Amino acid sequence: MKQQLPRVALLGLLGLLFVLPTDTWAQAGNLPALTIVTDGKGQSYSLSIQVVILMTLLTLLPAALMMMTAFTRIVIVLAILRQAIGLVQTPSSQTLVGLALFLTFFVMAPVFDKINATALQPYLQEKISMEAAIENAKAPLRTFMLGQTREADLQMFSKIAGLKPVDKVEDIPFTILVPSFVTSELKTAFQIGFLLFIPFLIIDLVVSSVLMSMGMMMLSPMIISLPFKIMLFVLVDGWTIVMGTLASSFYV
């Protein structure tokens, strides 16, 4: 239970480093009071208003985490696998999302551990400021995302944004890196999904040909091929192969 609390705080820090720019944090990690200027006079809101604003920004945390971690590739591959087998609602969408979430934690564990050691723990011990913690948290996450991002996608989004070529990858802003990373993850997920589709497609073709040769054209091939596809998937220990392949695909 003690290890769960730092993980929750770590996820919150990851979301905030994408949602909020660095210069919005005050020194020593304290939240600045929100100020509006009316007729040259400033007005500071209370801490409760600041908490409301912070909680509103945290609603973007799930989207930010899904777009900057391994979740996108994993959940798409699992959805394609379910479609390839021919099962519409089994496993359920909730099961696939939960499985993808915990597999994401497994894949991202080295990245989270580095962020925890270099950013979260020093900040909680008041050794560094919030601004320094965010900068330290960006480095491991940037390294992971760049390792999965195609150079062509980076060049495309840099060209669209009018960004000049950078000397170091550390200079690539997250506004360019995140859409490039997501685009690359979608391509990779569909490539893996295509390979998963091939053996099940062969079974469908064989069953359909056999039924046609027997003159049983009124019988749906899906009814006959589904048990064979499930049996094949179980016999080859399909879930272990798929999970192992997905996990190792991020560190090849």
Side-chain angles (χ1 to χ4, degrees), residues 3 18 23 34 87 105 115 118 135 206 217 233 239:
Q3 295 180 353
F18 178 72
D23 55 6
L34 182 63
L87 301 172
F105 285 140
I115 295 177
T118 60
E135 291 299 324
V206 171
M217 295 176 292
F233 192 68
W239 285 113

Side-chain angles (χ1 to χ4, degrees), residues 6 21 30 42 96 107 126 128 133 140 188 217-218 225 227 230 232 236 252:
N30 294 325
L96 292 183
V107 172
E126 299 183 354
I128 59 176
T188 304
M217 295 176 292
M218 299 301 295
S225 64
I230 295 177
L232 172 66
V236 299
V252 175

Side-chain angles (χ1 to χ4, degrees), residues 5 12 17 22 29 33 43-44 58 78 104 110 113 122 126 129 137 145 154 157 182 184 203 215 220 246 248:
L5 295 179
L17 71 89
T22 305
Q43 179 180 358
S44 297
L58 285 177
L78 293 179
T104 300
D113 290 340
E126 299 183 354
S129 64
M145 295 173 67
L154 282 172
F157 283 101
V182 174
S184 296
I203 294 178
S220 175
L246 280 174
S248 60

Side-chain angles (χ1 to χ4, degrees), residues 147-167:
Q148 311 301 324
T149 305
R150 292 174 173 82
E151 185 177 352
D153 295 327
L154 282 172
Q155 294 177 353
M156 179 188 68
F157 283 101
S158 298
K159 182 179 180 181
I160 294 175
L163 182 67
K164 297 180 180 180
V166 296
D167 298 331

